[in-house]
Amino acid sequence: MQKMKFYISALGIRRVTLSNSGAGKGSRETVAPARRLTSRTLLPVVLVFGIVLPFLFVRIAFLVLESAAACSSSTDCTGWRIFSWNEDHDALLRDELTQALLEVKGKSTDNVQKMEHSLESFDKLVKELTLHRQDIKAFAFKTKAMLSTLEQMVHSARQRESIYWHLASLGVPKSLHCLCLKLAEEYAVNAAARSPLPPPQYVSHLSDPSLQHLILLTDNVLAASVVISSTIKSSTDPGKLVFHIVTDKKTYTPMHAWFAVNPVESAVVEVKGLHQYDWSEEVNVGVKNMIDINQIIWRHYYNNLKEENLEETSEQSLDALSPSNLSVLNYLRIYIPELFPDLNKVVFLDDDVVVQHDLSPLWGLDLNGKVVGAVANSWCGDDCCPGRKYNDYLNYSHPLISTNFVSESDHCAWLYGVNIFDLEAWRRSNITKIYQQWLRTSLESGLAFWKPGILPPALIAFKGHVHPMDPLWHLGGLGHRFPHAHKNVVESAAVIHFSGPAKPWLEIGSPEIRSLWYKHINYSNPFVRKCRIMR
């Protein structure tokens, strides 16, 4: 016989016990009733789901987006279509926006200019569209207006920056002006500053063909000192070096005083002014005509530039109008044989170069009968000379240029700045006469052959007389805003040339590049200290 016992608590029946009297004492069987869901049971469950479900939703959303971005075709994403219920809506929105942008592409920009002051930021654009609940075409049109305005502003700012940068390159630093004044005063009051250059015992070196003759045509005292100092430091035998400096009348006294009171060790330095030359009447007339025609070309382009919108002027045009293109000393390069009648071979150096390696091998260079050795191709490879090809200097739209120089149009132009000249071969040629003839022809043809500059007419006159040199003899272009030469290339070059507006004595150039020039200045020199010439 079975007995049933109920155990009751406040929450209800907890358990039921069945006991069997025939099975022996203590034999019982317990049956538990089904559990009821209570608030104590539901509350933890709700809290867990409240935490987990948002996390799962965000995670699934990320997976959907990543999967959709990785899909290469519609079949790749079949498994995710259940999450892409709004894909058609997005495609429709994209197509509508694209169509709206295409419709406003060709419209007049008059309204765009009217919006220039009203649409100052994207946030304002969104706010305006939200407030007025405008359609997508209005959004596309106003977006175009904003972008067009911003493009114009950026272009204008860049052009103004270029103009200001070129204007900054035209001035003479106060320190250099001070140096010339102090040295001119020294020349007047100090007999040592007027001592002969070179000293009498070295005069014979000036025409000795066994020595290495280097020439500079410059009116910059500090630049001349850097060229000579760097050349001597780099030379394996500075005792063979003879420097010939030709300057104008106003710079002669400070130039002479500098090298007289700061004598160069080992090498010989000669300083000569243009007023000290006694040329024949024919040469004098030729020089005068050359200078007059080049000044007419310069003024012609300058007047044309004044009538143009400066913000549309190219950097190349601004470079062409640099005052250096009016320098008599620059144009006298074509008269080097007349400047040095007693020499047969010379190395010409610009005053904005720094010599880093020994130049002695240049005198042993075989020019194969040519007149000048010069670098044409760049260090970056054959025909790698952006901005300095023949068609960048000469006007190939003129029939006389296109007819006579058609094969050179896309070739790299050779460089002035580091050149070896065979003066004997030059005197046997008619290079200087060809140069003068083309100047006269240019004047008669309306000055349409080339822009102002010393190189364009030289490219014509020296045609067929140029022997190419290894590009690492002469690395140019460091005077531009963004020199692209790699550091190892700059270090490997025998001569680095600050060709371009940013001369190393100006503050507008790259500090890293300018430091290669400033390290050759003696800052303990009293004149350098007085004039506060700083790195």
Side-chain angles (χ1 to χ4, degrees):
M1 181 177 177
Q2 292 182 341
K3 294 181 181 180
M4 180 180 295
K5 294 182 180 180
F6 291 90
Y7 295 86
I8 302 173
S9 68
L11 295 176
I13 299 174
R14 299 292 301 272
R15 69 178 185 273
V16 179
T17 303
L18 298 177
S19 60
N20 191 345
S21 59
K25 189 178 181 179
S27 176
R28 64 180 61 181
E29 180 179 356
T30 303
V31 178
R35 292 184 178 272
R36 290 173 51 188
L37 293 176
T38 65
S39 59
R40 291 186 180 182
T41 306
L42 287 175
L43 183 59
V45 173
V46 171
L47 290 176
V48 170
F49 274 93
I51 296 172
V52 172
L53 283 179
F55 172 77
L56 290 175
F57 176 79
V58 172
R59 181 58 181 164
I60 291 171
F62 272 108
L63 290 173
V64 170
L65 293 174
E66 290 175 0
S67 175
C71 290
S72 60
S73 67
S74 59
T75 58
D76 294 335
C77 303
T78 305
W80 292 100
R81 291 308 183 197
I82 58 173
F83 300 105
S84 304
W85 57 272
N86 63 340
E87 182 178 297
D88 293 339
H89 180 268
D90 291 343
L92 181 63
L93 180 63
R94 182 177 61 251
D95 293 341
E96 187 178 352
L97 179 59
T98 302
Q99 183 63 31
L101 289 172
L102 290 174
E103 287 180 8
V104 301
K105 182 178 180 181
K107 290 188 177 180
S108 172
T109 58
D110 293 340
N111 292 332
V112 171
Q113 295 175 351
K114 293 178 182 178
M115 296 181 185
E116 180 174 350
H117 301 292
S118 63
L119 299 177
E120 298 176 355
S121 69
F122 188 77
D123 289 341
K124 287 188 176 181
L125 171 63
V126 174
K127 185 177 180 181
E128 180 181 343
L129 293 174
T130 303
L131 289 174
H132 296 88
R133 302 184 64 83
Q134 296 176 345
D135 60 16
I136 198 165
K137 288 186 178 180
F139 172 79
F141 183 78
K142 293 187 176 182
T143 301
K144 178 199 173 185
M146 174 175 286
L147 292 177
S148 298
T149 300
L150 292 176
E151 285 178 357
Q152 293 173 5
M153 293 171 63
V154 169
H155 175 74
S156 177
R158 286 177 176 173
Q159 196 64 24
R160 285 197 299 271
E161 179 198 14
S162 176
I163 293 170
Y164 297 152
W165 190 79
H166 278 80
L167 290 175
S169 71
L170 306 182
V172 177
K174 181 180 178 181
S175 57
L176 294 188
H177 185 62
C178 166
L179 185 64
C180 280
L181 292 178
K182 294 293 183 183
L183 289 169
E185 180 184 7
E186 188 73 9
Y187 185 89
V189 302
N190 186 355
R194 300 190 298 272
S195 58
L197 284 177
Q201 63 269 29
Y202 296 110
V203 171
S204 61
H205 288 57
L206 299 180
S207 57
D208 189 342
S210 65
L211 299 178
Q212 299 170 1
H213 298 269
L214 302 99
I215 60 175
L216 290 88
L217 309 179
T218 180
D219 59 357
N220 189 321
V221 176
L222 193 63
S225 71
V226 169
V227 174
I228 292 177
S229 174
S230 63
T231 305
I232 292 174
K233 288 179 182 178
S234 303
S235 176
T236 57
D237 190 1
K240 286 188 174 182
L241 300 177
V242 180
F243 295 93
H244 304 265
I245 302 175
V246 178
T247 190
D248 54 22
K249 188 175 183 178
K250 69 178 178 61
T251 315
Y252 172 74
T253 53
M255 188 76 75
H256 187 108
W258 174 268
F259 288 101
V261 299
N262 301 297
V264 175
E265 296 181 5
S266 304
V268 173
V269 177
E270 175 194 30
V271 177
K272 197 169 183 179
L274 291 177
H275 59 289
Q276 297 174 323
Y277 282 91
D278 186 17
W279 284 331
S280 66
E281 183 65 20
E282 180 183 0
V283 173
N284 281 330
V285 170
V287 170
K288 183 179 183 303
N289 289 337
M290 175 191 67
I291 294 171
D292 289 344
I293 294 174
N294 278 303
Q295 288 179 340
I296 292 172
I297 295 173
W298 191 93
R299 284 196 298 269
H300 171 74
Y301 277 90
Y302 176 74
N303 291 332
N304 289 344
L305 184 64
K306 288 196 298 184
E307 298 174 1
E308 296 178 2
N309 182 0
L310 280 179
E311 293 192 359
E312 300 300 326
T313 303
S314 66
E315 289 191 18
Q316 195 171 18
S317 297
L318 293 171
D319 285 343
L321 294 178
S322 170
S324 63
N325 289 325
L326 289 174
S327 170
V328 175
L329 292 168
N330 278 338
Y331 288 117
L332 282 176
R333 301 176 189 205
I334 199 66
Y335 281 95
I336 286 178
E338 285 74 24
L339 289 169
F340 304 99
D342 299 326
L343 299 178
N344 295 326
K345 183 175 274 191
V346 298
V347 165
F348 170 80
L349 296 176
D350 256 332
D351 63 0
D352 54 352
V353 306
V354 174
V355 179
Q356 302 187 129
H357 300 296
D358 184 31
L359 299 182
S360 298
L362 285 179
W363 278 271
L365 182 65
D366 184 4
L367 298 180
N368 294 318
K370 307 294 186 181
V371 173
V372 56
V375 169
N377 288 336
S378 176
W379 57 269
C380 53
D382 294 343
D383 298 324
C384 175
C385 45
R388 62 173 189 85
K389 295 186 177 182
Y390 274 75
N391 54 22
D392 293 314
Y393 293 101
L394 304 178
N395 180 15
Y396 273 83
S397 63
H398 197 285
L400 276 177
I401 297 295
S402 59
T403 301
N404 288 278
F405 305 98
V406 62
S407 61
E408 290 86 3
S409 64
D410 201 40
H411 289 182
C412 296
W414 58 271
L415 299 175
Y416 262 137
V418 183
N419 307 104
I420 177 76
F421 287 107
D422 184 341
L423 300 185
E424 288 185 323
W426 191 336
R427 295 183 185 106
R428 291 193 300 267
S429 71
N430 56 351
I431 290 174
T432 304
K433 289 183 179 179
I434 292 175
Y435 182 96
Q436 294 170 334
Q437 290 171 0
W438 274 95
L439 283 179
R440 289 192 295 269
T441 305
S442 174
L443 183 61
E444 295 166 359
S445 302
L447 308 172
F449 289 170
W450 58 78
K451 292 180 181 179
I454 56 175
L455 186 57
L459 295 176
I460 296 175
F462 281 94
K463 179 184 178 182
H465 296 282
V466 181
H467 177 78
M469 299 195 313
D470 187 292
L472 287 181
W473 274 115
H474 180 189
L475 177 62
L478 299 186
H480 290 282
R481 278 191 294 178
F482 309 109
H484 299 296
H486 301 302
K487 181 180 179 181
N488 60 336
V489 176
V490 173
E491 294 173 349
S492 300
V495 181
I496 55 175
H497 188 185
F498 291 84
S499 53
K503 301 304 181 187
W505 49 86
L506 302 175
E507 295 184 1
I508 61 175
S510 167
E512 294 79 9
I513 299 295
R514 290 170 62 230
S515 65
L516 299 174
W517 189 83
Y518 273 95
K519 70 180 184 179
H520 294 285
I521 296 177
N522 179 13
Y523 290 96
S524 64
N525 184 281
F527 293 100
V528 172
R529 291 204 312 272
K530 286 178 184 177
C531 293
R532 298 182 180 179
I533 295 174
M534 307 296 290
R535 289 182 176 85

